[in-house]
Amino acid sequence: MKRWLLTIPVALLLGLGVLGAYQLMQPDDESFVAKADRSAPDRAFPLLDAPEQEISFATPPGDGPVMVNLFASWCAPCRAEHGDITALAETFPGQVYGLAYKDVPEATRAFLEELGNPFEQIGVDPSGQGGLDFGLTGVPETFVISADGQIILHVRGPLDPERSQQVAEALGG
């Protein structure tokens, strides 16, 4: 009887392993990219390199749509998507913005010094409340905001070539 009881934890672990492997082999979930039709948050963020100045995306800078990438220096997927963001910034100059989420300014600067700064401007969100106002579920996330302040695309997770193409189309490319 006791030997039979010992097999229960092993069977449970094996079942969880099979379930995990099954989940990993499923095709990408389309829910990572969603059209959104809501207003950008009405919040002003201090700028990383000029804290006395602020940026707001409720009325986005410029004349057309902008991309806002919420990132952090401590986020490994943020590092992985950095090349895609740089490519978007080269293709859409003046339309790519960053928001440092729950990060220390010195760490954000070091991250950007190491990888390069593709952003037109970078706001800071040390408390994380601004990210929640955007609808952030976890960094990195990217939002495309229309000229009239509407979120028209929300990408959860890191950018890759396919997701970057969707962002490019929303930016007007």
Side-chain angles (χ1 to χ4, degrees):
M1 179 71 166
K2 289 184 181 183
R3 284 188 181 186
W4 184 81
L5 290 175
L6 291 175
T7 61
I8 292 175
V10 172
L12 286 173
L13 282 173
L14 230 130
L16 285 173
V18 168
L19 181 63
Y22 174 77
Q23 289 293 324
L24 286 173
M25 294 187 321
Q26 293 302 307
D28 286 342
D29 186 358
E30 291 299 319
S31 68
F32 280 106
V33 178
K35 291 199 185 260
D37 191 17
R38 63 184 191 279
S39 297
D42 189 20
R43 177 181 292 272
F45 300 97
L47 293 178
L48 177 66
D49 291 325
E52 68 283 353
Q53 297 177 20
E54 296 179 327
I55 188 167
S56 172
F57 300 104
T59 305
D63 298 327
V66 298
M67 175 190 122
V68 182
N69 179 258
L70 280 72
F71 72 99
S73 64
W74 44 263
C75 163
C78 297
R79 182 176 292 275
E81 74 172 359
H82 200 78
D84 292 289
I85 293 171
T86 301
L88 283 165
E90 290 169 359
T91 305
F92 300 96
Q95 291 180 269
V96 176
Y97 292 81
L99 184 60
Y101 177 77
K102 288 189 172 183
D103 210 355
V104 179
E106 296 78 26
T108 301
R109 286 186 196 96
F111 176 84
L112 295 170
E113 282 178 26
E114 178 186 345
L115 299 177
N117 182 356
F119 303 111
E120 183 70 18
Q121 290 181 310
I122 302 165
V124 294
D125 182 22
S127 71
Q129 187 58 50
L132 296 177
D133 292 349
F134 262 101
L136 179 75
T137 59
V139 289
E141 289 193 14
T142 302
F143 298 84
V144 177
I145 303 170
S146 68
D148 62 351
Q150 294 295 304
I151 296 173
I152 56 175
L153 184 69
H154 178 184
V155 180
R156 292 185 278 285
L159 293 177
D160 59 19
E162 181 181 328
R163 294 177 186 164
S164 292
Q165 181 59 39
Q166 291 170 318
V167 169
E169 289 169 7
L171 286 172

